[in-house]
Amino acid sequence: MANDMLFGVHGAALEVRSRRLGMLASNIANASTPGFKARDIDFDAAMRQANAGGISEGAINAATKYRVPTQVTLDGNTVELATEQTQFAENAVAYQTTLSFLNGRINQITRALRGE
């Protein structure tokens, strides 16, 4: 609870974005694995869960969805490499932005504690 007051939603957002980066990386790594089903975390749904009761494994699992491919492959793999790479890059930028907000807040708190 104290972290929520200090950092707002940015701590939860960083956790969700981190988990999403891992999931997208897994999709990319399994692009040629027959039968692999690409998954993604719905960021908005995960953040709604975080606001309701915090980030938990259950909240992440509830926000995780299978990606519907635009082109079906014969081996049953639903990974579309271009889509995954784009989503990964966009999420990485958002992760970095969230990290910058947190760093700014930490610097602000540090300056306040020093009396600057």
Side-chain angles (χ1 to χ4, degrees):
M1 184 63 126
N3 287 340
D4 290 344
M5 293 184 335
L6 290 175
F7 303 119
V9 300
H10 298 298
L14 194 64
E15 175 69 21
V16 173
R17 293 210 183 278
S18 175
R19 297 277 190 101
R20 187 167 184 236
L21 280 172
M23 191 168 289
L24 293 169
S26 175
N27 290 347
I28 292 169
N30 287 290
S32 61
T33 303
F36 184 82
K37 306 297 182 206
R39 297 182 306 151
D40 196 0
I41 296 174
D42 181 352
F43 181 78
D44 293 333
M47 289 306 294
R48 281 193 299 275
Q49 289 279 357
N51 288 335
I55 290 295
S56 66
E57 198 64 37
I60 296 292
N61 289 339
T64 300
K65 308 292 182 212
Y66 286 99
R67 193 179 307 282
V68 178
T70 55
Q71 187 172 3
V72 179
T73 60
L74 294 176
D75 66 0
N77 186 308
T78 63
V79 176
E80 294 175 327
L81 199 53
T83 300
E84 300 301 328
Q85 289 171 330
T86 301
Q87 292 296 316
F88 186 90
E90 288 176 359
N91 194 64
V93 169
Y95 180 89
Q96 189 62 42
T97 302
T98 303
L99 198 56
S100 294
F101 280 120
L102 282 172
N103 280 332
R105 183 69 177 139
I106 290 169
N107 287 337
Q108 184 181 31
I109 292 167
T110 303
R111 285 193 312 270
L113 289 173
R114 289 183 185 157
E116 296 177 358

